[in-house]
Amino acid sequence: MQSKARHILVVRKANSDRAARLEAEIGAWLRARGHSVTAISGGFDDPAYALPDLDFAVVLGGDGTMLGVARRVAGRGIPLLGINFGRVGFLADIQPEQWEKGLADSLAGITPERTCMALQWKVVRNGSTLAKGVAVNDVVLSRAALSRLVNMDIGVDGQEMCHLRSDGVILSTPIGSSGYSVSAGGPLLYPSLNCMVFTPICPFLNTIPPMVFPQATRFGIDLLPGTTETYITVDGQEGLLLQVGDRVEVTGLEDAVCFVGKEMPFFERLRTRGFVTDMASGAKHK
């Protein structure tokens, strides 16, 4: 089946000769079938992400590369097809040797697509937006090297939630809940849920437990005097040093990212990450 002509963004893993070679092969294959192609290297911002007529993206890399691309096109309804050049490949699940069939089926609409929520965040300093963006996995506020606490007032939907002194706080999506959040004692969420997780990191005197909130909840986190050096980190890939008086605002974005491909079954994913026991073999992974 011949798919309609599209403008396709091809993003290759940075510093990978193998991915660069496959990018050239895929680009030629797509152009021969009437598609227009824009090819870039991943790992940094590029004007190509903002091209208005993009309607499909092929990512040659691992989950880290996929996350970087997903953040930059979130909310635009652009399907992302991942060809795995990483290790496990939870998000990029087509193997390089199977790229042609995988790409042809995806463009023809044979391969299923799934959407997931993301987090929209911004940092406000002195009344002006200093930085903003999207997170697919999590937004983390955490202290730097000094063994001192982050001092925060946290509000939810305009209401005061708590005053928190801790090593930091994690706000995560369902697909991000199996990372830093669960390691810090947060709940593990089924990936198709539409909600967000609030997880304090080592709260002083255990003032508040991890909690689950609706996707549309709006968090406001104010850094108070007495706070140690604090960073905001997005998906473990982007960071910014904050100051006392800064306000961090985070809310959920429904159906913000679209991934192409059949999702790895939830419990298989947990076994791969070592969260559950493989009952067939009796081997405990974690």
Side-chain angles (χ1 to χ4, degrees), residues 56 81 94 98-108 111 260:
F56 197 87
L81 174 68
I94 293 178
Q98 300 169 336
W99 74 264
E100 187 169 345
K101 183 180 188 310
L103 182 52
D105 288 350
S106 299
L107 292 173
T111 306
V260 181

Side-chain angles (χ1 to χ4, degrees), residues 36-108:
S36 58
V37 177
T38 298
I40 62 174
S41 176
F44 54 90
D45 288 327
D46 191 291
Y49 289 113
L51 292 173
D53 59 341
L54 291 177
D55 55 7
F56 197 87
V58 180
V59 183
L60 282 62
D63 287 346
T65 309
M66 284 287 284
L67 285 172
V69 176
R71 283 198 304 275
R72 292 170 172 89
V73 301
R76 294 182 57 190
I78 298 175
L80 305 179
L81 174 68
I83 298 176
N84 185 30
F85 279 81
R87 292 185 292 275
V88 178
F90 293 113
L91 302 177
D93 54 3
I94 293 178
Q95 297 307 309
E97 60 273 14
Q98 300 169 336
W99 74 264
E100 187 169 345
K101 183 180 188 310
L103 182 52
D105 288 350
S106 299
L107 292 173

